[in-house]
Amino acid sequence: MLEGVTATNVRLPLTPLPRPRSVLFAPGNRADLVAKLPRSAPDAVVIDLEDAIPADPDAKTAARPVARDAARDLIACAPHLNVFLRVNAVHSPYFEADLAALTPELAGVVVPKLESAQDVQQVVDTLRTRGLDLPLMAGLETGAGVWNARQIMEHPAVGWAYFGAEDYTTDLGGVRTAGGLEVLYARSQVALAARLAGVPALDIVVTALNNEAVFREDAGQGRALGYSGKLCIHPAQVALAHDIFGATPAQLTRARALLQAAHEAAALGHGAFSFEGQMVDEPMLAAARAILAAGPQPQQTEEA
């Protein structure tokens, strides 16, 4: 929290964001698009000062006040929406100036291309010089970032992480393909590191905006690898992400019934029991708990 800011002028509480299924982006220089972000009911939104803004000093400078004001307006209109702002990379010439666009009401800061725990600490220290204490969503988008993924995500300031396939492939000098084999190792590494660090990880962007089949296939791969949700760059992708990374009503009902049966068996002193003709073990119970954790989250009803 910004030093000197009291609870009377900071909006609390935010909707909890333990495992976001969808994180929807909008360009920081387009206040009109930022205002529309709540309409598709994403779990979180990101106002972007990095990739969505040309790498030009004048363009970056012009975008910052627009992004700051758009964030404040969005928070005022949708006070329970988790609103993030993505700054440029910590070692870029734009990073420190981007901090002027931050506001303490934000749910957090998205920082791309982090490569070490030292990078994370540099971000934290720089934020603190401005009186800001915001959690970070860490972007793992380079060879070094993927290699050091676990130490980055174990930093206490990091609450979430995402894998960026496009920048990762560019950093390695590779080529993106439709099958995605070139990023399978890194994609798996980030998911594994996130699991060990206890941090929700968000899967790669799908740039085919009008191809539902491509999005579903790619998101299904991410779900199978252990990602909690998807980065979305079009409102139509949000519902698809919720479908794939959430849980169906039937799955939720079965998971609740299984856990209730386990509770009743334990009350009777039974260490082992059967459910729907199947012997139950701890991995099955853990899977049921995970299904409930991935179940539908409260939907945003506010319209910007």
Side-chain angles (χ1 to χ4, degrees), residues 99-117:
L99 302 187
L102 297 177
T103 172
E105 297 91 350
L106 289 165
V109 186
V110 182
V111 187
K113 301 179 180 67
L114 289 167
E115 297 194 326
S116 66

Side-chain angles (χ1 to χ4, degrees), residues 83-273:
V83 180
F84 293 76
L85 187 139
R86 181 161 75 170
V87 297
N88 283 270
V90 64
H91 298 298
S92 78
Y94 310 114
F95 169 72
E96 292 209 24
D98 283 351
L99 302 187
L102 297 177
T103 172
E105 297 91 350
L106 289 165
V109 186
V110 182
V111 187
K113 301 179 180 67
L114 289 167
E115 297 194 326
S116 66
Q118 289 74 27
D119 281 356
V120 179
Q121 190 59 47
Q122 182 176 340
V123 172
V124 171
D125 291 343
T126 307
L127 289 174
R128 285 175 178 167
T129 64
R130 293 175 173 262
L132 289 164
D133 186 14
L134 294 168
L136 308 184
M137 182 182 293
L140 306 174
E141 306 176 80
T142 65
V146 170
W147 188 261
N148 295 318
R150 184 174 177 183
Q151 65 162 261
I152 291 170
M153 285 187 266
E154 285 180 340
H155 192 288
V158 174
W160 313 266
Y162 70 89
F163 173 52
E166 311 302 326
D167 285 306
Y168 170 81
T169 306
T170 299
D171 185 50
L172 265 64
V175 177
R176 286 289 277 133
T177 67
L181 186 61
E182 70 284 354
V183 297
L184 178 58
Y185 168 79
R187 199 177 182 187
S188 303
Q189 168 73 1
V190 171
L192 174 60
R195 171 65 183 84
L196 295 174
V199 171
L202 292 147
D203 193 30
I204 60 179
V205 164
V206 173
T207 58
L209 298 181
N210 300 311
N211 195 322
E212 179 178 333
V214 169
F215 186 91
R216 285 187 175 278
E217 181 179 1
D218 190 82
Q221 292 174 0
R223 176 67 184 89
L225 289 171
Y227 283 88
S228 73
K230 197 79 167 162
L231 300 181
C232 300
I233 54 175
H234 190 279
Q237 295 178 337
V238 171
L240 300 176
H242 290 184
D243 184 30
I244 293 163
F245 289 94
T248 66
Q251 289 172 327
L252 291 168
T253 298
R254 185 180 186 278
R256 292 189 187 102
L258 174 57
L259 293 175
Q260 179 61 30
H263 175 75
E264 293 171 357
L268 295 172
H270 298 162
F273 68 100

